[in-house]
Amino acid sequence: MIPKRRVLISTLILLVIFVILTNYYFMAILSRNESEVRKFTKSTIEEKILQKVPLIAHNYRNRRIINDNLTDTFIHNLKSTTVFKNKSNLWKEAKSWVSKTQLYNYSSPHLGSVLFALKSAKIIKADIDIRGTQLKLLLTLEGNQNVIFKPKWYPIDKIIEGPVYAGKDRYFSEILAFYLSGILGKPLTPLTVERKVSLKNEIVPVATTRLLNTIYKRRSATCVYGKCFYCKREDPVCENENGMITGAIIFNVDVDFKVNRSPWQRTYKKGKKAVWETNDDYCKSVKLKLSSRRLLNLIDTSVFDFLIQNGDRHHYETLDDSVILMDNGKGLGNPNIDHLDILAPLYQCCMLRSNTWERLEQLSGGLLKEKLKVMPDINNLVTEEHLNAVERRLLIIYATVEYCRTRNKIEHSML
Ligand SMILES: *[C@@H]1O[C@H](CO)[C@@H](O)[C@H](O)[C@H]1NC(C)=O
Ligand SMILES: *[C@@H]1O[C@H](CO)[C@@H](O)[C@H](O)[C@H]1NC(C)=O
Ligand SMILES: *[C@@H]1O[C@H](CO)[C@@H](O)[C@H](O)[C@H]1NC(C)=O
């Protein structure tokens, strides 16, 4: 009797210990999973997309046989220049190209002439451009054309660490964006070229008083700091040893764009997430507020921004309801990183315009990089690492569409 009872009691005790331990174990595991899921729905989607990359890579390794007349025409026109004696006629033509479907005409034989004029026309007036948060000059070129000058802050191989929106404007990102828009067949960026200007000889003699007030000599170099949210006297742009500052000249199309808040805006606060970053079904709520056409435009924009890694499009401009690609200076920060969340509009909505998809497919097999490599000045502007990164990101876009397909969700729209 007695040993039997002892066995029973010890069994009971063991059972209790077992129950407590397993309970504890499962609670620990479950709560860990739950908090991970809560914290990272976005990153599990992104993981799934990255898992697709090696599975689909072979589908996109080969060059498609296409008649790429569009890009060939664009590149041909970029490089052919005739010098216009009367600049105002040339500017007038460039302005006539602007419509809701394009900011420039890549079929125009005068495209190269306009770019050449942007690079070389005499500066007849120089002022501060107070729009935006970073140093910009508003220059007037002979023939009365206003352009924006965004100066170079970093060498082109500088790697910007930190969040996707870190650092100052990269002027070469503005120029790559212009080239990319042409290659993608979406001429929605303003015309942009690289130009070197002498502050002392070209700007100071024609500068407004308020600009002159921000120009001073440091050691023997002439420097400028402008007027803007981040502009500081201690942090100017200075002429190099040849007396020049380099930057991007951006054609000012002189139309009033409407400025809209992006539904995929970031919070810009460390540790604080926006709704789109925590809610898998976010696209549903966007669909209630925006037309399909607008949504497809924003998805096109996210594809464009992902290729150059511009993660700073907190607002976007529209012209007659079309989304325009202005302000592309926050791309090309770090060629070793792909911020997948720039693609959130694509992977959350799983919609893509058919002609965008066709064009992206056509650019497979290394064609995108090849086209970029023959663009004017490209070797002064963009490192091989950045070009390879653009190519790698194209593959990630294919993988994202594949991810949507496996969820039976991809919707190709003709809108
Ligand atoms: C594009 O196609 C047109 C018509 O077929 C042709 O005349 C033109 O030369 C082509 N352009 C280029 C740059 O190949
Ligand atoms: C350029 O052409 C415009 C008319 O398009 C004319 O008004 C202007 O005087 C011309 N400028 C020069 C410098 O010839
Ligand atoms: C673009 O340029 C081409 C070639 O000159 C011309 O045929 C076409 O009409 C232009 N389109 C626009 C919208 O200016």
Side-chain angles (χ1 to χ4, degrees), residues 67-77:
N67 174 7
D68 196 18
N69 195 281
L70 182 153
T71 333
D72 294 342
T73 307
F74 175 56
I75 295 170
H76 176 261
N77 290 336

Side-chain angles (χ1 to χ4, degrees), residues 86 88-89 92:
N86 187 328
S88 53
N89 289 340
K92 210 160 106 195

Side-chain angles (χ1 to χ4, degrees), residues 347-365:
Y347 67 63
Q348 290 182 337
C349 298
C350 279
M351 292 160 67
L352 188 60
R353 204 170 252 133
S354 307
N355 72 9
T356 306
W357 177 239
E358 267 164 36
R359 186 65 191 144
L360 290 169
E361 277 192 303
Q362 287 174 354
L363 290 168
S364 66

Side-chain angles (χ1 to χ4, degrees), residues 77-356:
N77 290 336
L78 281 179
K79 293 183 173 176
S80 60
T81 58
T82 40
V83 176
F84 271 61
K85 281 266 160 50
N86 187 328
K87 293 282 189 300
S88 53
N89 289 340
L90 185 60
W91 303 135
K92 210 160 106 195
E93 166 150 7
K95 276 185 194 147
S96 78
W97 296 336
V98 178
S99 73
K100 67 174 183 178
T101 53
Q102 61 173 40
L103 293 192
Y104 61 88
N105 181 356
Y106 52 66
S107 323
S108 168
H110 296 144
L111 186 63
S113 306
V114 175
L115 296 181
F116 180 72
L118 288 172
K119 276 174 101 65
S120 58
K122 192 170 187 305
I123 299 166
I124 58 172
K125 188 180 165 201
D127 195 4
I128 290 166
D129 188 343
I130 51 168
R131 293 170 296 179
T133 55
Q134 299 203 26
L135 171 57
K136 291 200 291 272
L137 302 183
L138 184 65
L139 306 179
T140 311
L141 302 181
E142 78 176 291
N144 257 328
Q145 178 59 48
N146 282 343
V147 296
I148 293 151
F149 180 77
K150 287 197 175 182
K152 172 179 184 171
W153 289 99
Y154 306 113
I156 61 169
D157 58 355
K158 164 87 179 167
I159 291 184
I160 311 291
E161 307 281 355
V164 62
Y165 47 80
K168 295 180 178 159
D169 277 338
R170 274 78 75 173
Y171 83 102
F172 44 90
S173 174
E174 296 278 2
I175 302 169
L176 186 80
F178 162 56
Y179 293 156
L180 189 62
S181 72
I183 295 173
L184 290 174
K186 295 188 190 288
L188 298 166
T189 69
L191 296 165
T192 307
V193 297
E194 185 189 43
R195 180 164 176 173
K196 294 175 174 37
V197 298
S198 160
L199 266 181
K200 194 167 129 221
N201 301 327
E202 293 177 273
I203 304 283
V204 168
V206 296
T208 58
T209 314
R210 62 174 183 172
L211 174 57
L212 277 180
N213 287 340
T214 77
I215 298 181
Y216 65 101
K217 266 227 148 80
R218 199 162 78 164
R219 284 165 231 124
S220 61
T222 309
C223 303
V224 59
Y225 61 93
K227 197 170 161 67
C228 66
F229 186 77
Y230 290 118
C231 291
K232 284 197 298 274
R233 190 181 162 86
E234 318 79 78
D235 192 20
V237 170
C238 297
E239 289 181 346
N240 65 12
E241 58 280 9
N242 304 319
M244 293 291 182
I245 54 178
T246 300
I249 295 271
I250 303 168
F251 187 78
N252 196 346
V253 292
D254 273 338
V255 289
D256 282 327
F257 297 120
K258 190 167 177 287
V259 179
N260 312 265
R261 202 183 75 84
S262 167
W264 282 274
Q265 190 176 54
R266 295 172 193 278
T267 64
Y268 294 87
K269 290 190 189 102
K270 213 177 155 206
K272 184 163 189 288
K273 288 201 188 306
V275 179
W276 65 269
E277 292 178 277
T278 56
N279 179 359
D280 234 352
D281 272 339
Y282 183 71
C283 189
K284 272 191 193 146
S285 64
V286 180
K287 280 180 178 167
L288 295 177
K289 288 182 221 144
L290 297 182
S291 68
S292 302
R293 184 181 291 272
R294 174 64 60 86
L295 188 54
L296 288 164
N297 279 344
L298 290 178
I299 293 167
D300 278 356
T301 304
S302 76
V303 166
F304 179 85
D305 283 339
F306 180 69
L307 289 171
I308 61 169
Q309 289 286 289
N310 172 20
D312 196 31
R313 208 174 288 284
H314 41 85
H315 288 82
Y316 63 92
E317 278 82 4
T318 49
L319 177 61
D320 286 345
D321 209 35
S322 288
V323 174
I324 300 301
L325 302 167
M326 299 288 287
D327 255 329
N328 304 303
K330 280 297 185 70
L332 307 188
N334 188 340
N336 306 317
I337 289 187
D338 309 314
H339 292 276
L340 257 76
D341 64 0
I342 300 174
L343 277 182
L346 177 60
Y347 67 63
Q348 290 182 337
C349 298
C350 279
M351 292 160 67
L352 188 60
R353 204 170 252 133
S354 307
N355 72 9
T356 306

Side-chain angles (χ1 to χ4, degrees), residues 364-382:
S364 66
L367 194 62
L368 176 57
K369 182 177 162 189
E370 193 173 288
K371 296 287 173 193
L372 286 170
K373 275 192 87 104
V374 296
M375 292 292 166
D377 296 328
I378 195 80
N379 293 326
N380 303 335
L381 295 169
V382 184

